[in-house]
Amino acid sequence: MKAKCLKAEQKLLGHKNKTAFKVKLKRFLPIYLMAVPGIIYLIINNYMPMLGIFIAFKKVNFSLGIFKSPWCGFKNFEYLFATKDAWVITRNTILYNLAFIALNLAVGVMLAIILNEIAGSRLRQVYQSFVLIPYLISIIIVGYLGYSLFSTKTGFLNTVILPFFGLDPVKWYSTPKVWPIILCVVNTWKNAGYYCIIYLAAVMSIDPVYYEAATIDGAGWWAKVFRITIPTILPVIITMTLLQVGRIFYSNFGLFYQVPMDQGMLYPTTNVVDTYVYRALINSGDISMSAAASVYQSIVGFVTVVLANLAIRRIDRESALF
């Protein structure tokens, strides 16, 4: 009798599980179908190219084909470190990205807090659109906008702004020392709006009860920002920062190539890993070296994310990604 009862219970439980599964499948099937194009794109664009990682360890000979080309070990990685430019491009890539991360964080959070203070949803939406417009502009257009500002003969700065203050024109495209500031300003102007929208969504999700209680206790605006707003959105800040840290050895190719107009005089302060690899690829046509650089960038980015996440886990375990 006990065995029969157990079998009956198991059948009933199995029937309930099947019914629950069918209900969930029917309920979430439209969502799964909507996700299919994105998943296919992710597989084709992000995962299938990973099969070509072996190209970084081969001396590709197009007459033999990729698969039959001879293996060369780590020789393709040597050119990144064997040249006199290795230190310069590594330094520029890392320092620029550190500056970009800090500026995007500070300006993005500041804009989000300011927009949250604007009364009226329609007015806030208008300002959100204006803030996001630079992010949607092509980097090629940004490069030509920069040229209209910094051109020696026809640029707005040399023909209008500097003469107004009685200053002599500056040869911007021949002065490397000013470009770290220019590139940081351009990158922040272009990308801060994107991060602002993300941080604004986090700020708007904060319960107004906290601010009301702080007001009753006599807290000022700055106290509310540093005691309520920033601590509450800290998990979002950490997540966005970690995502940027993961690409600390990558750089925006258009920003460092198109905006300085590929001027050789500016290479000491504008040459980064991506532009260096591009120029080497154009001159030599060696795709193995380009693949080796990408593999190196990916490994460094992965290690950086893991180390940053471990540091965050020690400070605040709940804010860590994993």
Side-chain angles (χ1 to χ4, degrees), residues 34 77 186 218 236 274:
M34 290 174 62
F77 294 84
V186 172
V236 179
D274 294 79

Side-chain angles (χ1 to χ4, degrees), residues 42-91:
L42 187 68
I43 293 172
I44 295 174
N45 191 66
N46 293 73
Y47 287 95
M48 288 182 64
M50 292 175 66
L51 299 174
I53 193 172
F54 65 88
I55 298 175
F57 304 95
K58 281 196 170 192
K59 188 67 176 176
V60 175
N61 186 336
F62 291 102
S63 62
L64 298 175
I66 293 176
F67 295 100
K68 293 183 179 180
S69 297
W71 295 92
C72 62
F74 291 94
K75 288 186 178 180
N76 290 324
F77 294 84
E78 292 178 0
Y79 90 104
L80 281 174
F81 309 100
T83 65
K84 63 180 181 180
D85 298 321
W87 159 247
V88 174
I89 62 175
T90 303
R91 177 203 65 190

Side-chain angles (χ1 to χ4, degrees), residues 32 48 68 114 117 141 167 179 183 205 214-215 224 231-232 240 244 267:
Y32 295 147
M48 288 182 64
K68 293 183 179 180
I114 292 174
E117 295 294 322
I141 297 175
L167 301 174
W179 279 89
L183 291 174
S205 66
T215 302
K224 294 177 184 177
T232 304
M240 298 303 299
Q244 294 176 79
Y267 284 177

Side-chain angles (χ1 to χ4, degrees), residues 3-14:
K4 290 182 179 180
C5 290
L6 287 173
K7 288 182 180 180
E9 288 179 2
Q10 290 176 356
K11 287 183 179 180
L12 182 61
L13 183 61

Side-chain angles (χ1 to χ4, degrees), residues 79-301:
Y79 90 104
L80 281 174
F81 309 100
T83 65
K84 63 180 181 180
D85 298 321
W87 159 247
V88 174
I89 62 175
T90 303
R91 177 203 65 190
N92 289 349
T93 304
I94 294 175
L95 291 181
Y96 272 121
N97 279 319
L98 289 175
F100 293 165
I101 291 171
L103 289 171
N104 287 333
L105 171 61
V107 177
V109 171
M110 179 186 70
L111 288 175
I113 294 173
I114 292 174
L115 288 178
N116 188 58
E117 295 294 322
I118 297 176
S121 59
R122 290 188 178 180
L123 188 60
R124 186 187 296 122
Q125 290 175 0
V126 171
Y127 283 116
Q128 287 178 25
S129 301
F130 278 112
V131 166
L132 194 60
I133 285 174
Y135 180 75
L136 303 176
I137 298 177
S138 168
I139 194 65
I140 297 175
I141 297 175
V142 173
Y144 284 106
L145 288 174
Y147 185 77
S148 69
L149 282 175
F150 303 116
S151 175
T152 303
K153 295 182 179 180
T154 60
F156 184 72
L157 288 176
N158 282 348
T159 58
V160 178
I161 301 299
L162 295 182
F164 179 79
F165 291 99
L167 301 174
D168 296 328
V170 177
K171 295 181 178 179
W172 299 101
Y173 290 99
S174 303
T175 311
K177 63 181 180 180
V178 303
W179 279 89
I181 298 174
I182 292 174
L183 291 174
C184 287
V185 171
V186 172
N187 181 79
T188 304
W189 169 78
K190 189 171 185 342
N191 295 306
Y194 167 76
Y195 294 101
C196 165
I197 300 302
I198 296 174
Y199 295 136
L200 178 61
V203 171
M204 293 177 66
S205 66
I206 299 174
D207 194 335
V209 173
Y210 295 123
Y211 295 108
E212 294 173 1
T215 302
I216 294 173
D217 291 338
W221 188 81
W222 287 105
K224 294 177 184 177
V225 168
F226 286 102
R227 297 295 179 87
I228 298 175
T229 305
I230 293 180
T232 304
I233 67 172
L234 189 60
V236 179
I237 292 175
I238 291 174
T239 301
M240 298 303 299
T241 303
L242 280 176
L243 291 175
Q244 294 176 79
V245 166
R247 298 187 61 84
I248 199 169
F249 214 70
Y250 288 82
S251 52
N252 187 333
F253 176 81
L255 177 67
F256 290 96
Y257 185 85
Q258 190 67 37
V259 176
M261 294 294 176
D262 194 27
Q263 296 293 322
M265 290 285 292
L266 305 179
Y267 284 177
T269 54
T270 62
N271 202 12
V272 291
V273 173
D274 294 79
T275 55
Y276 179 79
V277 172
Y278 172 77
R279 294 184 184 107
L281 184 62
I282 290 297
N283 294 329
S284 65
D286 193 340
I287 65 170
S288 300
M289 293 194 302
S290 178
S294 297
V295 171
Y296 177 61
Q297 288 175 307
S298 299
I299 292 173
V300 172

